Amino acid sequence: MKAKANTDSADMTPKLTILHTSANQQGNIMKMTKTLIASAILATSISTLQVQAADVPAGVELAAKQELVRGGGSEPATLDPQKIEGTPGSIRSRDLFEGLYNQDGDGNQIPGVATSYDVNADNTVYTFHLRHDAKWSNGDPVTAGDFVYSFTRAVDPVTASPYAWFIEIPSIVNATKIIAGEAKPSSLGVKAIDDYTFQVTLERPVPYFVKMTSHQTMFPVPKKVVEKWGDDWTKPEHMVSNGAYKMDEWVVNEKMEFSRNKYYWNDAETVINKVTYLPIESPNAELKRFQAGQMDLSYELPNDHFKQLKRDMPDQVVITPYLGTYYYQFNTTKAPYNDVRVRKALSYAIDRDVITKYVTGVGEIPAYSFTPEVVNGFNPATPAYATWTQKERNEKAQTLLKEAGFDKSNPLNFTLLYNTNENHKKLAIAISAMWKKTLGVKVTLENQEWKTYLETKKHQQFDVARAGWIGDYNEASTMLDLLTTTHGNNDGKYSNAAYDTLLHDARTMKDPAANYNKAEEIAIEQDMAVAPIYQYVNKRLVKPYVGGYQPNPEDNVYARDMYIIKH
């Protein structure tokens, strides 16, 4: 799913380091650990689950001022749910908008605009029952028609959504044809049975479909507002949203301010009155703001300050598992990166143990496969090269690169692209040094701000680029689909017909693990489509007075769950 903008155990059980030990937050994190160890089974009706709300423990005294200031990573290109691309936009959208289902602190699906759903015998027709008290921030009701409009808008070529593929993944009827321009958008398999009954028809059963509905691409947007203002509908003076908050102010590269949406169906259970997002690309700059008391919750933390922070303020450092992989992407449309020998050589020469121990050093797990171990119900097979010593990998890398026509007398020379961030820069410097020492490769580092970086990659104007992917739902396909030929975020344009078939067929299998393992084997062990480097962890600074912070494997954190304790 999300392109990770900024910023992982040898056994198959996710390791969780709890460094922020306030009772309320530790309880939430320990609950999450149990969920990671045991795969959750999604019931056909979730109406009995507790709705999301700030849960203030008895005896906790709230601060008179309920305002939250949090780091937002890079400045997002847009807050239009169907056009958002990347983590910075998605984290903000969860406060402004709400889909059919949300996630709790354990990553389980809980009711959002939908209170429950029914599914037919062959699991192809999902009927969602919407709450009657869901409203837009202008007081208008949120209806099934809003979801029909938004799902359709996502696949309509006119919208040019970078996430149109997200509607295609669950095989919603005609999604593929519409995206390809072979069918009318109105033929998408969605309809409003009545104002409060929304139905989705799939071309084949997809068991994880409901898990996908908490992603912003499937959030509703207000048709009449979008059509009236066009691209300007997300400006503060025009935006209408249906989440717990509404936008008051957006000062580009300075801040975004949200306030309570009084029409939100669960506003009575919301405590935080105001949320301010600060767009800070630099983890070091963010740390200074946090230490100066100008921020309550950071986007991340600088790797090189981790040990000091752990020592000096252990109660404010939170490290939790994260469903995502940090990797380097090859532009396979361009020689010599279309040569598997070159891709393998560059990947093998990366010492992932050194990277995770000394460069990142915050609990990340060395990655040799693309799918992280934290994914529910999937244990990727270990690639052969992961069992070699680093010396063996280096020797193999030298042989492969020489076979491809490069050696120290005729060095490979290329540019490594990354989005502006100190952590990415440190990693790029370390890996380029490994490449130079082992392979004689000459690397030029190039950094670009987030929006430019996305455009550069989208148009294949790069050699090798830093990339990261965070799962949109807790199932292996959320990672593996990224490497299919037609995926909208496959910027390296890797393509393998056998791989595509495995992922396509996996969507209708009760147990797709065999296909997923074979796909991993093809993409990484056979083709080295990308070079996995490490599995993410969430690393964040949280003030002790922030209650209700509930991290989960997908980092779907909502301000409406939080509250400020008197301090």
Side-chain angles (χ1 to χ4, degrees):
M1 139 41 284
K2 299 178 273 287
K4 174 68 172 170
N6 298 326
T7 43
D8 288 11
S9 84
D11 62 5
M12 300 311 297
T13 302
K15 286 184 171 60
L16 180 64
T17 304
I18 302 176
L19 300 173
H20 183 241
T21 55
S22 69
N24 184 61
Q25 293 180 11
Q26 183 167 341
N28 288 329
I29 295 171
M30 290 308 297
K31 287 196 300 178
M32 182 184 71
T33 307
K34 296 176 183 178
T35 300
L36 295 176
I37 294 173
S39 298
I41 299 175
L42 190 65
T44 57
S45 176
I46 317 182
S47 59
T48 57
L49 292 177
Q50 183 178 359
V51 297
Q52 201 149 0
D55 184 13
V56 184
V60 170
E61 187 175 358
L62 295 177
K65 187 178 181 180
Q66 289 296 316
E67 296 183 1
L68 178 74
V69 180
R70 60 178 298 184
S74 304
E75 179 76 22
T78 180
L79 286 185
D80 184 326
Q82 277 78 56
K83 295 185 179 183
I84 288 172
E85 183 176 15
T87 309
S90 67
I91 62 172
R92 292 163 171 84
S93 72
R94 285 191 290 272
D95 285 338
L96 293 170
F97 297 90
E98 181 173 73
L100 295 165
Y101 281 88
N102 297 316
Q103 287 187 338
D104 65 13
D106 298 331
N108 299 314
Q109 303 303 115
I110 60 175
V113 177
T115 57
S116 64
Y117 73 90
D118 304 315
V119 62
N120 67 344
D122 66 358
N123 294 308
T124 58
V125 180
Y126 287 80
T127 304
F128 296 90
H129 305 286
L130 312 187
R131 59 179 76 253
H132 290 225
D133 54 349
K135 294 183 179 181
W136 294 101
S137 54
N138 63 1
D140 291 346
V142 177
T143 68
D146 293 319
F147 284 94
V148 170
Y149 171 69
S150 302
F151 276 50
T152 303
R153 181 173 182 259
V155 295
D156 189 338
V158 173
T159 306
S161 171
Y163 267 74
W165 56 267
F166 196 78
I167 305 296
E168 182 181 21
I169 291 301
S171 73
I172 297 178
V173 168
N174 284 335
T176 299
K177 291 181 179 179
I178 296 167
I179 293 170
E182 299 170 358
K184 294 181 179 180
S186 59
S187 68
L188 187 68
V190 294
K191 65 178 178 179
I193 304 299
D194 56 42
D195 280 350
Y196 299 101
T197 311
F198 174 58
Q199 190 172 88
V200 180
T201 303
L202 311 182
E203 293 174 350
R204 45 192 170 272
V206 175
Y208 50 84
F209 170 57
V210 176
K211 292 184 179 183
M212 300 180 71
T213 63
S214 57
H215 187 269
Q216 75 266 358
T217 304
M218 293 186 179
F219 287 173
V221 295
K223 180 179 180 180
K224 67 181 183 182
V225 178
V226 174
E227 292 184 343
K228 180 177 180 179
W229 298 107
D231 290 340
D232 289 340
W233 82 270
T234 56
K235 290 184 176 181
E237 61 268 29
H238 304 318
M239 179 179 275
V240 172
S241 57
N242 75 315
Y245 297 88
K246 60 184 180 67
M247 183 186 291
D248 291 334
E249 187 175 13
W250 182 351
V251 182
V252 176
N253 293 322
E254 182 180 332
K255 65 179 179 179
M256 285 186 189
E257 290 186 352
F258 304 161
S259 64
R260 293 256 296 268
N261 171 14
K262 67 179 181 179
Y263 292 109
Y264 179 58
W265 64 269
N266 206 26
D267 181 58
E269 301 299 324
T270 303
V271 176
I272 297 290
N273 294 319
K274 179 181 177 181
V275 185
T276 301
Y277 280 91
L278 303 180
I280 305 174
E281 290 186 338
S282 164
N284 286 320
E286 188 179 43
L287 173 60
K288 290 179 182 178
R289 299 285 290 270
F290 185 88
Q291 291 175 322
Q294 299 172 359
M295 182 186 298
D296 309 307
L297 177 66
S298 76
Y299 182 80
E300 60 175 346
L301 55 82
N303 292 336
D304 53 351
H305 288 270
F306 173 69
K307 291 181 180 179
Q308 179 185 348
L309 292 169
K310 183 179 177 181
R311 181 182 66 247
D312 296 347
M313 41 197 286
D315 63 329
Q316 299 180 55
V317 178
V318 180
I319 307 296
T320 55
Y322 200 11
L323 201 164
T325 300
Y326 190 109
Y327 60 100
Y328 277 175
Q329 191 169 49
F330 304 108
N331 182 357
T332 64
T333 69
K334 183 177 181 181
Y337 319 104
N338 58 351
D339 188 330
V340 66
R341 295 170 299 182
V342 172
R343 299 197 300 268
K344 284 187 174 182
L346 292 174
S347 181
Y348 291 168
I350 299 172
D351 191 330
R352 292 156 175 84
D353 288 326
V354 168
I355 294 298
T356 56
K357 288 179 182 178
Y358 303 111
V359 182
T360 58
V362 193
E364 293 88 352
I365 303 170
Y368 298 92
S369 298
F370 192 56
T371 306
E373 297 168 7
V374 74
V375 168
N376 277 344
F378 175 56
N379 296 328
T382 302
Y385 81 102
T387 67
W388 305 344
T389 64
Q390 188 57 45
K391 181 181 178 181
E392 290 171 329
R393 284 192 283 268
N394 288 346
E395 290 173 347
K396 184 64 173 177
Q398 291 166 353
T399 299
L400 287 169
L401 200 61
K402 189 170 185 178
E403 289 177 0
F406 301 97
D407 54 25
K408 291 185 178 180
S409 61
N410 178 37
L412 174 62
N413 193 330
F414 64 86
T415 298
L416 175 60
L417 174 69
Y418 63 93
N419 57 293
T420 305
N421 177 279
E422 288 100 340
N423 291 342
H424 299 330
K425 182 178 180 179
K426 289 181 174 65
L427 203 69
I429 291 172
I431 292 177
S432 61
M434 292 175 184
W435 284 336
K436 182 176 181 180
K437 179 180 179 181
T438 303
L439 303 173
V441 171
K442 296 181 179 180
V443 181
T444 300
L445 303 185
E446 179 182 2
N447 67 294
Q448 296 178 349
E449 61 90 19
W450 180 243
K451 298 176 189 178
T452 304
Y453 156 86
L454 289 177
E455 286 299 311
T456 298
K457 289 211 307 167
K458 186 179 298 182
H459 294 97
Q460 290 74 57
Q461 296 171 345
F462 69 96
D463 299 328
V464 181
R466 168 268 151 192
W469 194 253
I470 305 302
D472 294 305
Y473 49 93
N474 204 337
E475 209 266 351
S477 62
T478 193
M479 300 297 299
L480 296 171
D481 276 329
L482 179 67
L483 300 179
T484 54
T485 300
T486 60
H487 195 287
N489 290 85
N490 180 3
D491 294 330
K493 296 303 177 184
Y494 167 71
S495 179
N496 183 299
Y499 182 92
D500 293 347
T501 298
L502 286 166
L503 268 295
H504 178 273
D505 293 348
R507 297 177 190 172
T508 58
M509 298 171 67
K510 289 185 177 180
D511 183 8
N515 276 36
Y516 291 155
N517 270 299
K518 182 62 178 176
E520 279 277 2
E521 181 183 338
I522 291 174
I524 303 302
E525 192 153 15
Q526 174 184 305
D527 293 346
M528 199 62 74
V530 297
I533 300 174
Y534 63 77
Q535 297 173 28
Y536 277 110
V537 291
N538 239 323
K539 44 193 179 183
R540 189 163 281 151
L541 295 167
V542 186
K543 293 292 187 182
Y545 54 76
V546 176
Y549 173 65
Q550 300 182 46
N552 62 43
E554 295 168 63
D555 197 34
N556 287 337
V557 177
Y558 306 83
R560 62 175 174 264
D561 289 342
M562 292 184 256
Y563 49 90
I564 305 299
I565 301 169
K566 186 176 181 181
H567 57 283

